[in-house]
Structure formats: C-alpha cells, structure tokens
Amino acid sequence: MNLAFRVLLFCFIISWRIVTAQDLVELSGSLPESLSAQSYLVVGDIFVSPGSSVSIEAGSVLLFESFTGMHVQGTVYVKGNEDKPVVFTSKNDKQHNPNATVDAAPFDWNGIDIYESALGSSFDRCTIRYSVYGIRSQTEHFKVINSIFSNNGKADMTIKGERQDINSHTPFSYGLPSVDAPSKLPQPQQIAETLPPKAELPASSTSSDQQKRIGVQILRYTGLAIGVGAGAASVWYFIRKFQPAHDRLEELSTIDDNEKWKYSSKDWESAEKERSRKLGLCIAGAGGAMLGIGMFSISFAF
C-alpha cells in the first residue's frame, strides 16, 4: 500500500508539473492584436509593430527571460483592473511562476521601450517588476494609470531621458492625476483625437530606433562572449601553462649545490623568459575578460 501511494504521488507531481508548464504560452517577435488573460513566457524580444494596435487583457502575466524586453513601436492598450492587474515581471518571480528555481532580482529582464511612433499607448493598472529600466519612453504621448513599479534596477520609468519620481509599491499615474484616473481606458478614437498628427514624426525614427536596438544587442552579447571566453581561457592557461613554467623556475632557483653542475645559467634564463611570456598571456586574457565585462555593462546604459 505504501509503495502504491508513493507511485500515485509521483505520477500526480509529474502530471501537475506538465500541466503547469503547458499553461505558459511562449512569446517572441510581433505580438497578435490581443493577449488574453493567461500566463506567457517571453523567450525573445516582443514587439508592437509600427502602425499596429495590441490589447493586453486584465489578468495577463508576462514572464520575461533574461535579456528580453518589450518594444512598443505601435500602440499598446494594457487593460488591467483592480482585481486583475496585468503583470510584467521576471520568469524567476515565484509569486507568478511557481516553477521558478531561483529568486527574482532587479535587472532580470530589460524592460519596456516605448518609441516615438508609439503615440497613445496606455498602461492601466499594471505591475512592472525586476526589470532593468521599467518603462523607457522616447515620447510623452502615453498614459500610465494606477500602476505599480517595484524592484527595477536602474529606474522605474524614464521619459526622454528624464527619470520619474516613483515610490515603490505605490500606485503611480502619468498623464492623469491619480485621483482622476478612470476605471476604464479611453477608446482608441478618443485618444487619437488628442494626438498630434503622425506627419510630424521623422520618417526614419522607427528604422533608427531598430538600428540602435540591434547595435545595443550586438554590443551586449559580444561583450558577454568576449568576457566569458577570455576569462575562461585565461584561467585555463594560468593553470595548465603558467603554473608549470613557474614551478620549473622555482625548481631551478632552489636546487642543491650538489645538483647545480647539471644546469647552466642559460637554463635558468630560459625558464624565467618562459614564465614571463606565459604570465603576459595570462594578463592579456584577463584584460580581454575585463574588456568584455565593460562592453556588457555599458550596453545597459543605452
């Protein structure tokens, strides 16, 4: 009976994990017109394409993997409510992802970029957590209504480079006073009537934004590859090459007087040069690792 119970318990746990995993719908690339209320795993950057409109319904949870984010180039309507906010957070957020194996932390995912072409977007009662920069907008023409920002790394929200003063875990509104924030989002037609004509936007703004984003990604991943590769190579070379050369020089420097006749001064000089050469290569590898780390770190400044 005890064995049968254990087998049933094991099968139940496996089945539960499979069902839970299936509940996460993977997202990457251009978003559809609407995201229904369920949990999503963002495995690559997601986009609201220029000229398109995307609605994210109340109760939606977007779990972002590392180095991913959301790029709003069209118009997004985040339609959370008091009972069911829309959540943008790390895949490691155990509050929203019971399968997470590590704790969530600031800088877990990139954040939400709003481009100049993204006029009229609205974020109604959403939560943004554990990102690098929360919302980073190139335009003032969007709204945030009673939304919560917490545990973001560099900033909760910046508009045209200016950091907004936001109290963590406190509802925040932008574009509307908090007390006057409506319970429902304005209709897209109403928003469009208050916006400046799109003709005022530079024609090349979207393409230049995309080029900048691609450049930042190249800088980030190149720096990561150089840092990890050079660091690993430096450690390996130190252990496998430099250390034996160092030991050889130490051996020649400490031999007994009775053994000195076996070696000449050239042997000692050769061993010293070999150690110096290999030490230089180790230092060069460490320098490459530092360069890669620097490139990786700088990429988050853009």
Side-chain angles (χ1 to χ4, degrees), residues 36-63:
S36 58
Q38 58 181 308
S39 295
Y40 300 90
L41 179 62
V42 181
V43 297
D45 282 352
I46 54 177
F47 299 86
V48 179
S49 302
S52 67
S53 175
V54 173
S55 296
I56 303 179
E57 301 301 327
S60 299
V61 177
L62 280 71
L63 304 168

PDB file of all heavy atoms in Angstrom, residues 36-63:
ATOM      1  N   SER A  36      -4.938  37.356 -24.313  1.00  0.00           N
ATOM      2  CA  SER A  36      -5.982  37.040 -23.343  1.00  0.00           C
ATOM      3  C   SER A  36      -5.381  36.824 -21.960  1.00  0.00           C
ATOM      4  O   SER A  36      -4.158  36.757 -21.793  1.00  0.00           O
ATOM      5  CB  SER A  36      -6.746  35.791 -23.790  1.00  0.00           C
ATOM      6  OG  SER A  36      -5.858  34.697 -23.925  1.00  0.00           O
ATOM      7  N   ALA A  37      -6.241  36.694 -20.975  1.00  0.00           N
ATOM      8  CA  ALA A  37      -5.812  36.592 -19.583  1.00  0.00           C
ATOM      9  C   ALA A  37      -5.237  35.211 -19.297  1.00  0.00           C
ATOM     10  O   ALA A  37      -5.965  34.271 -18.986  1.00  0.00           O
ATOM     11  CB  ALA A  37      -6.988  36.880 -18.653  1.00  0.00           C
ATOM     12  N   GLN A  38      -3.925  35.078 -19.421  1.00  0.00           N
ATOM     13  CA  GLN A  38      -3.220  33.859 -19.052  1.00  0.00           C
ATOM     14  C   GLN A  38      -1.750  34.207 -18.857  1.00  0.00           C
ATOM     15  O   GLN A  38      -1.350  35.363 -19.000  1.00  0.00           O
ATOM     16  CB  GLN A  38      -3.388  32.780 -20.120  1.00  0.00           C
ATOM     17  CG  GLN A  38      -2.903  33.166 -21.507  1.00  0.00           C
ATOM     18  CD  GLN A  38      -3.140  32.042 -22.506  1.00  0.00           C
ATOM     19  OE1 GLN A  38      -2.758  30.903 -22.281  1.00  0.00           O
ATOM     20  NE2 GLN A  38      -3.800  32.360 -23.609  1.00  0.00           N
ATOM     21  N   SER A  39      -0.947  33.207 -18.535  1.00  0.00           N
ATOM     22  CA  SER A  39       0.476  33.440 -18.297  1.00  0.00           C
ATOM     23  C   SER A  39       1.265  33.169 -19.573  1.00  0.00           C
ATOM     24  O   SER A  39       1.020  32.188 -20.271  1.00  0.00           O
ATOM     25  CB  SER A  39       0.977  32.535 -17.170  1.00  0.00           C
ATOM     26  OG  SER A  39       0.360  32.882 -15.943  1.00  0.00           O
ATOM     27  N   TYR A  40       2.237  34.048 -19.841  1.00  0.00           N
ATOM     28  CA  TYR A  40       3.063  33.945 -21.035  1.00  0.00           C
ATOM     29  C   TYR A  40       4.534  33.933 -20.628  1.00  0.00           C
ATOM     30  O   TYR A  40       4.935  34.639 -19.698  1.00  0.00           O
ATOM     31  CB  TYR A  40       2.818  35.129 -21.974  1.00  0.00           C
ATOM     32  CG  TYR A  40       1.391  35.250 -22.464  1.00  0.00           C
ATOM     33  CD1 TYR A  40       0.458  35.997 -21.743  1.00  0.00           C
ATOM     34  CD2 TYR A  40       0.979  34.630 -23.633  1.00  0.00           C
ATOM     35  CE1 TYR A  40      -0.852  36.119 -22.187  1.00  0.00           C
ATOM     36  CE2 TYR A  40      -0.329  34.750 -24.087  1.00  0.00           C
ATOM     37  CZ  TYR A  40      -1.238  35.491 -23.356  1.00  0.00           C
ATOM     38  OH  TYR A  40      -2.530  35.602 -23.801  1.00  0.00           O
ATOM     39  N   LEU A  41       5.328  33.144 -21.338  1.00  0.00           N
ATOM     40  CA  LEU A  41       6.774  33.133 -21.147  1.00  0.00           C
ATOM     41  C   LEU A  41       7.407  33.816 -22.354  1.00  0.00           C
ATOM     42  O   LEU A  41       7.314  33.324 -23.479  1.00  0.00           O
ATOM     43  CB  LEU A  41       7.299  31.702 -21.013  1.00  0.00           C
ATOM     44  CG  LEU A  41       8.818  31.566 -20.841  1.00  0.00           C
ATOM     45  CD1 LEU A  41       9.278  32.244 -19.548  1.00  0.00           C
ATOM     46  CD2 LEU A  41       9.238  30.098 -20.836  1.00  0.00           C
ATOM     47  N   VAL A  42       8.040  34.951 -22.118  1.00  0.00           N
ATOM     48  CA  VAL A  42       8.656  35.724 -23.197  1.00  0.00           C
ATOM     49  C   VAL A  42      10.081  35.204 -23.388  1.00  0.00           C
ATOM     50  O   VAL A  42      10.959  35.439 -22.562  1.00  0.00           O
ATOM     51  CB  VAL A  42       8.661  37.226 -22.871  1.00  0.00           C
ATOM     52  CG1 VAL A  42       9.286  38.013 -24.017  1.00  0.00           C
ATOM     53  CG2 VAL A  42       7.241  37.715 -22.604  1.00  0.00           C
ATOM     54  N   VAL A  43      10.294  34.482 -24.492  1.00  0.00           N
ATOM     55  CA  VAL A  43      11.581  33.833 -24.740  1.00  0.00           C
ATOM     56  C   VAL A  43      12.475  34.651 -25.668  1.00  0.00           C
ATOM     57  O   VAL A  43      13.646  34.322 -25.862  1.00  0.00           O
ATOM     58  CB  VAL A  43      11.376  32.422 -25.318  1.00  0.00           C
ATOM     59  CG1 VAL A  43      10.651  31.537 -24.315  1.00  0.00           C
ATOM     60  CG2 VAL A  43      10.600  32.470 -26.631  1.00  0.00           C
ATOM     61  N   GLY A  44      11.935  35.696 -26.257  1.00  0.00           N
ATOM     62  CA  GLY A  44      12.697  36.611 -27.108  1.00  0.00           C
ATOM     63  C   GLY A  44      12.006  37.961 -27.090  1.00  0.00           C
ATOM     64  O   GLY A  44      10.860  38.081 -26.633  1.00  0.00           O
ATOM     65  N   ASP A  45      12.678  38.996 -27.558  1.00  0.00           N
ATOM     66  CA  ASP A  45      12.067  40.320 -27.563  1.00  0.00           C
ATOM     67  C   ASP A  45      10.705  40.283 -28.258  1.00  0.00           C
ATOM     68  O   ASP A  45      10.541  39.632 -29.296  1.00  0.00           O
ATOM     69  CB  ASP A  45      12.971  41.317 -28.283  1.00  0.00           C
ATOM     70  CG  ASP A  45      14.136  41.765 -27.414  1.00  0.00           C
ATOM     71  OD1 ASP A  45      14.145  41.422 -26.219  1.00  0.00           O
ATOM     72  OD2 ASP A  45      15.033  42.452 -27.931  1.00  0.00           O
ATOM     73  N   ILE A  46       9.733  40.986 -27.678  1.00  0.00           N
ATOM     74  CA  ILE A  46       8.402  41.068 -28.277  1.00  0.00           C
ATOM     75  C   ILE A  46       8.163  42.500 -28.750  1.00  0.00           C
ATOM     76  O   ILE A  46       8.684  43.453 -28.172  1.00  0.00           O
ATOM     77  CB  ILE A  46       7.296  40.619 -27.298  1.00  0.00           C
ATOM     78  CG1 ILE A  46       7.381  41.386 -25.971  1.00  0.00           C
ATOM     79  CG2 ILE A  46       7.384  39.122 -27.056  1.00  0.00           C
ATOM     80  CD1 ILE A  46       6.264  41.041 -24.989  1.00  0.00           C
ATOM     81  N   PHE A  47       7.343  42.641 -29.817  1.00  0.00           N
ATOM     82  CA  PHE A  47       7.191  43.927 -30.486  1.00  0.00           C
ATOM     83  C   PHE A  47       5.720  44.240 -30.739  1.00  0.00           C
ATOM     84  O   PHE A  47       4.939  43.357 -31.107  1.00  0.00           O
ATOM     85  CB  PHE A  47       7.919  43.921 -31.836  1.00  0.00           C
ATOM     86  CG  PHE A  47       9.399  43.693 -31.734  1.00  0.00           C
ATOM     87  CD1 PHE A  47       9.918  42.406 -31.692  1.00  0.00           C
ATOM     88  CD2 PHE A  47      10.279  44.760 -31.665  1.00  0.00           C
ATOM     89  CE1 PHE A  47      11.275  42.183 -31.598  1.00  0.00           C
ATOM     90  CE2 PHE A  47      11.643  44.546 -31.567  1.00  0.00           C
ATOM     91  CZ  PHE A  47      12.145  43.259 -31.533  1.00  0.00           C
ATOM     92  N   VAL A  48       5.376  45.495 -30.527  1.00  0.00           N
ATOM     93  CA  VAL A  48       4.141  46.055 -31.071  1.00  0.00           C
ATOM     94  C   VAL A  48       4.579  46.823 -32.308  1.00  0.00           C
ATOM     95  O   VAL A  48       5.193  47.885 -32.209  1.00  0.00           O
ATOM     96  CB  VAL A  48       3.440  46.974 -30.057  1.00  0.00           C
ATOM     97  CG1 VAL A  48       2.178  47.558 -30.671  1.00  0.00           C
ATOM     98  CG2 VAL A  48       3.112  46.215 -28.779  1.00  0.00           C
ATOM     99  N   SER A  49       4.308  46.275 -33.462  1.00  0.00           N
ATOM    100  CA  SER A  49       4.859  46.796 -34.713  1.00  0.00           C
ATOM    101  C   SER A  49       4.310  48.178 -35.038  1.00  0.00           C
ATOM    102  O   SER A  49       3.192  48.532 -34.632  1.00  0.00           O
ATOM    103  CB  SER A  49       4.552  45.827 -35.861  1.00  0.00           C
ATOM    104  OG  SER A  49       5.077  44.545 -35.580  1.00  0.00           O
ATOM    105  N   PRO A  50       5.065  48.985 -35.781  1.00  0.00           N
ATOM    106  CA  PRO A  50       4.590  50.317 -36.175  1.00  0.00           C
ATOM    107  C   PRO A  50       3.256  50.233 -36.908  1.00  0.00           C
ATOM    108  O   PRO A  50       3.060  49.394 -37.787  1.00  0.00           O
ATOM    109  CB  PRO A  50       5.702  50.820 -37.103  1.00  0.00           C
ATOM    110  CG  PRO A  50       6.919  50.067 -36.691  1.00  0.00           C
ATOM    111  CD  PRO A  50       6.431  48.714 -36.272  1.00  0.00           C
ATOM    112  N   GLY A  51       2.317  51.091 -36.514  1.00  0.00           N
ATOM    113  CA  GLY A  51       1.012  51.129 -37.154  1.00  0.00           C
ATOM    114  C   GLY A  51       0.022  50.109 -36.638  1.00  0.00           C
ATOM    115  O   GLY A  51      -1.152  50.137 -37.011  1.00  0.00           O
ATOM    116  N   SER A  52       0.462  49.199 -35.767  1.00  0.00           N
ATOM    117  CA  SER A  52      -0.438  48.168 -35.250  1.00  0.00           C
ATOM    118  C   SER A  52      -0.928  48.542 -33.857  1.00  0.00           C
ATOM    119  O   SER A  52      -0.389  49.430 -33.199  1.00  0.00           O
ATOM    120  CB  SER A  52       0.266  46.811 -35.203  1.00  0.00           C
ATOM    121  OG  SER A  52       1.304  46.828 -34.237  1.00  0.00           O
ATOM    122  N   SER A  53      -1.961  47.837 -33.405  1.00  0.00           N
ATOM    123  CA  SER A  53      -2.542  48.063 -32.089  1.00  0.00           C
ATOM    124  C   SER A  53      -2.674  46.719 -31.380  1.00  0.00           C
ATOM    125  O   SER A  53      -3.163  45.751 -31.961  1.00  0.00           O
ATOM    126  CB  SER A  53      -3.917  48.730 -32.222  1.00  0.00           C
ATOM    127  OG  SER A  53      -4.540  48.856 -30.959  1.00  0.00           O
ATOM    128  N   VAL A  54      -2.229  46.663 -30.132  1.00  0.00           N
ATOM    129  CA  VAL A  54      -2.271  45.427 -29.348  1.00  0.00           C
ATOM    130  C   VAL A  54      -2.951  45.708 -28.014  1.00  0.00           C
ATOM    131  O   VAL A  54      -2.635  46.698 -27.346  1.00  0.00           O
ATOM    132  CB  VAL A  54      -0.852  44.870 -29.103  1.00  0.00           C
ATOM    133  CG1 VAL A  54      -0.899  43.681 -28.146  1.00  0.00           C
ATOM    134  CG2 VAL A  54      -0.200  44.463 -30.414  1.00  0.00           C
ATOM    135  N   SER A  55      -3.886  44.843 -27.642  1.00  0.00           N
ATOM    136  CA  SER A  55      -4.553  44.933 -26.343  1.00  0.00           C
ATOM    137  C   SER A  55      -4.083  43.783 -25.462  1.00  0.00           C
ATOM    138  O   SER A  55      -4.035  42.638 -25.906  1.00  0.00           O
ATOM    139  CB  SER A  55      -6.077  44.862 -26.514  1.00  0.00           C
ATOM    140  OG  SER A  55      -6.552  45.971 -27.244  1.00  0.00           O
ATOM    141  N   ILE A  56      -3.736  44.096 -24.231  1.00  0.00           N
ATOM    142  CA  ILE A  56      -3.347  43.076 -23.258  1.00  0.00           C
ATOM    143  C   ILE A  56      -4.407  43.078 -22.165  1.00  0.00           C
ATOM    144  O   ILE A  56      -4.560  44.059 -21.436  1.00  0.00           O
ATOM    145  CB  ILE A  56      -1.946  43.357 -22.682  1.00  0.00           C
ATOM    146  CG1 ILE A  56      -0.914  43.431 -23.817  1.00  0.00           C
ATOM    147  CG2 ILE A  56      -1.551  42.277 -21.684  1.00  0.00           C
ATOM    148  CD1 ILE A  56       0.499  43.737 -23.351  1.00  0.00           C
ATOM    149  N   GLU A  57      -5.148  41.993 -22.079  1.00  0.00           N
ATOM    150  CA  GLU A  57      -6.329  41.950 -21.228  1.00  0.00           C
ATOM    151  C   GLU A  57      -5.967  41.780 -19.754  1.00  0.00           C
ATOM    152  O   GLU A  57      -4.882  41.309 -19.398  1.00  0.00           O
ATOM    153  CB  GLU A  57      -7.250  40.810 -21.676  1.00  0.00           C
ATOM    154  CG  GLU A  57      -7.724  40.920 -23.121  1.00  0.00           C
ATOM    155  CD  GLU A  57      -8.494  42.201 -23.391  1.00  0.00           C
ATOM    156  OE1 GLU A  57      -9.184  42.680 -22.466  1.00  0.00           O
ATOM    157  OE2 GLU A  57      -8.405  42.725 -24.517  1.00  0.00           O
ATOM    158  N   ALA A  58      -6.915  42.163 -18.898  1.00  0.00           N
ATOM    159  CA  ALA A  58      -6.741  42.050 -17.449  1.00  0.00           C
ATOM    160  C   ALA A  58      -6.441  40.607 -17.058  1.00  0.00           C
ATOM    161  O   ALA A  58      -7.035  39.669 -17.591  1.00  0.00           O
ATOM    162  CB  ALA A  58      -7.999  42.536 -16.738  1.00  0.00           C
ATOM    163  N   GLY A  59      -5.510  40.440 -16.129  1.00  0.00           N
ATOM    164  CA  GLY A  59      -5.139  39.111 -15.666  1.00  0.00           C
ATOM    165  C   GLY A  59      -3.994  38.483 -16.425  1.00  0.00           C
ATOM    166  O   GLY A  59      -3.518  37.406 -16.054  1.00  0.00           O
ATOM    167  N   SER A  60      -3.520  39.134 -17.481  1.00  0.00           N
ATOM    168  CA  SER A  60      -2.382  38.603 -18.240  1.00  0.00           C
ATOM    169  C   SER A  60      -1.101  38.752 -17.415  1.00  0.00           C
ATOM    170  O   SER A  60      -0.892  39.759 -16.741  1.00  0.00           O
ATOM    171  CB  SER A  60      -2.222  39.344 -19.568  1.00  0.00           C
ATOM    172  OG  SER A  60      -3.371  39.199 -20.373  1.00  0.00           O
ATOM    173  N   VAL A  61      -0.246  37.733 -17.476  1.00  0.00           N
ATOM    174  CA  VAL A  61       1.044  37.758 -16.786  1.00  0.00           C
ATOM    175  C   VAL A  61       2.127  37.449 -17.813  1.00  0.00           C
ATOM    176  O   VAL A  61       2.118  36.374 -18.419  1.00  0.00           O
ATOM    177  CB  VAL A  61       1.099  36.734 -15.635  1.00  0.00           C
ATOM    178  CG1 VAL A  61       2.482  36.744 -14.986  1.00  0.00           C
ATOM    179  CG2 VAL A  61       0.023  37.036 -14.599  1.00  0.00           C
ATOM    180  N   LEU A  62       3.039  38.383 -18.019  1.00  0.00           N
ATOM    181  CA  LEU A  62       4.136  38.192 -18.965  1.00  0.00           C
ATOM    182  C   LEU A  62       5.423  37.977 -18.176  1.00  0.00           C
ATOM    183  O   LEU A  62       5.875  38.875 -17.455  1.00  0.00           O
ATOM    184  CB  LEU A  62       4.275  39.395 -19.898  1.00  0.00           C
ATOM    185  CG  LEU A  62       3.298  39.454 -21.089  1.00  0.00           C
ATOM    186  CD1 LEU A  62       1.878  39.767 -20.615  1.00  0.00           C
ATOM    187  CD2 LEU A  62       3.741  40.498 -22.107  1.00  0.00           C
ATOM    188  N   LEU A  63       5.981  36.775 -18.293  1.00  0.00           N
ATOM    189  CA  LEU A  63       7.207  36.394 -17.596  1.00  0.00           C
ATOM    190  C   LEU A  63       8.365  36.467 -18.589  1.00  0.00           C
ATOM    191  O   LEU A  63       8.386  35.729 -19.575  1.00  0.00           O
ATOM    192  CB  LEU A  63       7.077  34.978 -17.036  1.00  0.00           C
ATOM    193  CG  LEU A  63       5.884  34.730 -16.103  1.00  0.00           C
ATOM    194  CD1 LEU A  63       5.699  33.240 -15.862  1.00  0.00           C
ATOM    195  CD2 LEU A  63       6.080  35.454 -14.779  1.00  0.00           C
TER     196      LEU A  63
END
